[in-house]
Amino acid sequence: MLNTKKDFTALLFKLIDPLKDKYSKKHAFLDVGSHRTWYDEQAARMEAFARPLWGLVPFWTGGQENSDFEKIYTDGIANGTNPQSGEYWGFCRDNDQRFVEMAAIAYGLLLCPQKLWEPLSPAQRENLSLWLYSINVHRVGDNNWRFFRVLVNSALKKLGQKYDSEKTEEDFAKIESCYLGEGWYKDGPEGQRDYYISFAYHFYGLIYAHTMADEDAKRCKIFKERAEVFAKTFIYWFADTGEAVPYGRSLTYRFAQVAFWSACLLADVKPFSVPVIKGIIVRHLESWFGDNKIFDNGNVLTVGYKYNQLTMAENYNAPGSPYWGLKVFAFLALDDNHEFWTARAAKLPLLEDLKMIKPAQMLAARYRGSVTIYPAGMQNDFSCGQIPAKYTKFAYSTLFGFSVPKGNVSLSEAACDSTLAFELDGLIMTRLHSKSFVLNEDSLTIYWSPFTGIEVETKIVPKEYGHIRKHKVISDYECKAYDCGFAVSCTDSAKCTHKADSTSACAENVNSKCTVQSDTGSGEIINAVPNTNLVSPKTVIPAIKYLIKKGTNIFTTYIYEV
């Protein structure tokens, strides 16, 4: 069990030691895979170099030493920012991926300049400062990316280098425009509410609060207060056993899901007791390092969730991207005598069975210790990979995960768990957007359309046993609709069984069970194609089939989950 500083340090090096022989000759790049992203390969290799810093920086800040990695990163930074080195990271342009990775370097310059700044020669320091400053002469996204420039300029300011205070204030104004209240932000003008609120907005805000209190006390106080409020609802995303609910994009960052709690510790924000926060972190990390197949055969983290799975990846998931998850190790910066190291991991506090999280536009249910969230699904058109499946299903569960489609010409390929899927003209169509919604304390009503000529009103009512879906479908066509339950693991080790009859369908294994039932439809079992579900590489989906007539159709499906 994870408990002491030694335990957590050993886990960090379990993750990064396999990378040592994969750095380039002059250490400025890291090669850990062969698939590609929508940004250039040079940026992807630089990204892989930078992301281990999210773990190494707090390790060094906490007073620990590792000469091998210290040399790798001082060499790498010196050569990566030297246009004549042969391993230059490159000149930046608008919305450059390198801006993302600058944040990890700025993190190090803010927390442990003695490791990443002081060992450099005057010429090397100038190269680094100039390269970082280039973020100020290019456009960055109107979302969490604004914090990258804030951190870079903060680091430059701390080091007595040229920085841009006007850009910093502009960025803070844009960040403030994304604040929704109750501790929640939206990730840019499109309005997504997902893990970027916790492991980006709040994480960076708390790093700023930890390092810039002398220069900007008022703003730092605000960031800490918002984090404390946010924690009161974000805690509902975590199961008693440690898993965070799989929802939204960038899930390949895996244990970054608890990075917020680590940043709270670093910034001395205590929305709950230290033992409770430690319990959240410990259980979450231990949930990842059991039977999950998250490494390749060289012990390098893969792109995927509970196993290697490019189907769920975003277009920006490079081979080194998963190491963003090392943000979780922010607590390694804590002093050796901090309470965290001797505290005993505590259980979650008493939480409500059903919680409306209004700024996040969702309900969170945790009747049996697991978590199911019911989001309104107001996602945008950011087409970076399987976005509708990540935001617009009726329910997302820590117990079952969710699935992403491999195609839309069959139910098996569509893998449409937790959706109402329409079969029309040989295609499977589900919700891409919500037109509007009504969120109440105990229910959620969504108005949506899968296709021109079909209008749907779905009311979701969470119950102790699962939830109820009440649908009203107004259709210009005769077609079929499948109201699908959760995807149940059906690997050999899961010992899965399933059945369907005239009114219901059920699938269960040694760990979970999902039953769907209706008085007006018939049961179906959908054998999802392999590698569509984020949690299990092989699943079946119990569903109810309805015959949709022209005009108004009203039907109800009961979803039971265990």
Side-chain angles (χ1 to χ4, degrees), residues 166-462:
E166 291 184 6
K167 280 289 192 296
T168 299
E169 289 305 315
E170 174 191 315
D171 294 334
F172 276 131
K174 184 58 66 174
I175 291 165
E176 191 62 26
S177 73
C178 294
Y179 187 64
L180 300 170
E182 298 181 36
W184 283 83
Y185 293 84
K186 58 179 180 178
D187 190 20
E190 295 86 1
Q192 288 172 242
R193 296 123 167 109
D194 50 27
Y195 283 104
Y196 278 89
I197 313 311
S198 62
F199 60 42
Y201 281 88
H202 280 293
F203 187 91
Y204 302 136
L206 290 170
I207 297 306
Y208 185 85
H210 177 63
T211 57
M212 300 297 289
D214 291 341
E215 294 85 352
D216 193 2
K218 183 178 179 180
R219 187 173 279 129
C220 291
K221 183 174 182 289
I222 289 171
F223 284 148
K224 293 173 77 168
E225 290 172 346
R226 287 180 179 176
E228 187 161 354
V229 175
F230 172 77
K232 302 298 185 181
T233 49
F234 184 55
I235 196 171
Y236 279 84
W237 286 28
F238 293 86
D240 289 355
T241 49
E243 294 89 350
V245 62
Y247 170 69
R249 63 189 179 97
S250 293
L251 292 176
T252 197
Y253 300 158
R254 295 184 175 104
F255 24 88
Q257 291 168 325
V258 291
F260 165 77
W261 303 104
S262 302
C264 282
L265 291 166
L266 182 60
D268 197 30
V269 174
K270 297 176 182 176
F272 301 98
S273 70
V274 170
V276 166
I277 295 174
K278 185 171 185 176
I280 294 170
I281 294 170
V282 166
R283 288 188 296 274
H284 183 76
L285 286 173
E286 290 181 343
S287 75
W288 281 108
F289 298 101
D291 296 330
N292 300 317
K293 310 297 183 183
I294 63 176
F295 301 99
D296 66 13
N297 57 13
N299 291 316
V300 172
L301 283 173
T302 59
V303 172
Y305 194 62
K306 291 295 182 78
Y307 60 96
N308 181 20
Q309 187 206 29
L310 283 175
T311 307
M312 59 79 69
E314 286 84 28
N315 299 338
Y316 53 80
N317 289 164
S321 294
Y323 289 91
W324 219 58
L326 299 182
K327 284 182 171 183
V328 68
F329 289 102
F331 55 78
L332 285 179
L334 298 174
D335 189 86
D336 287 350
N337 60 12
H338 192 280
E339 178 188 358
F340 181 78
W341 303 119
T342 55
R344 188 170 183 175
K347 295 180 179 179
L348 292 175
L350 184 64
L351 300 173
E352 299 174 44
D353 290 337
L354 184 63
K355 180 73 171 179
M356 180 175 72
I357 309 177
K358 191 172 182 180
Q361 301 177 341
M362 65 175 58
L363 296 170
R366 41 183 314 113
Y367 291 105
R368 294 164 301 281
S370 60
V371 177
T372 303
I373 62 169
Y374 304 94
M378 300 296 285
Q379 53 89 194
N380 60 42
D381 289 317
F382 181 32
S383 301
C384 61
Q386 306 289 12
I387 288 297
K390 294 168 182 175
Y391 291 94
T392 64
K393 292 182 185 288
F394 294 137
Y396 294 83
S397 165
T398 54
L399 197 58
F400 299 97
F402 69 89
S403 305
V404 293
K406 280 194 173 180
N408 67 342
V409 296
S410 70
L411 288 169
S412 295
E413 287 185 331
C416 39
D417 57 321
S418 295
T419 61
L420 181 62
F422 291 83
E423 185 177 10
L424 184 66
D425 197 24
L427 296 176
I428 306 300
M429 288 168 285
T430 59
R431 177 167 49 133
L432 296 179
H433 299 277
S434 298
K435 293 186 173 182
S436 62
F437 69 93
V438 177
L439 179 64
N440 295 313
E441 294 281 353
D442 59 355
S443 66
L444 170 64
T445 303
I446 306 165
Y447 301 88
W448 59 283
S449 172
F451 186 76
T452 302
I454 301 177
E455 298 292 328
V456 185
E457 173 188 325
T458 298
K459 183 176 183 179
I460 298 170
V461 184

Side-chain angles (χ1 to χ4, degrees), residues 467-479:
H467 63 280
I468 303 171
R469 303 176 193 164
K470 301 178 180 180
H471 303 287
K472 179 180 179 181
V473 177
I474 301 176
S475 178
D476 292 344
Y477 319 98
E478 289 187 354
C479 59

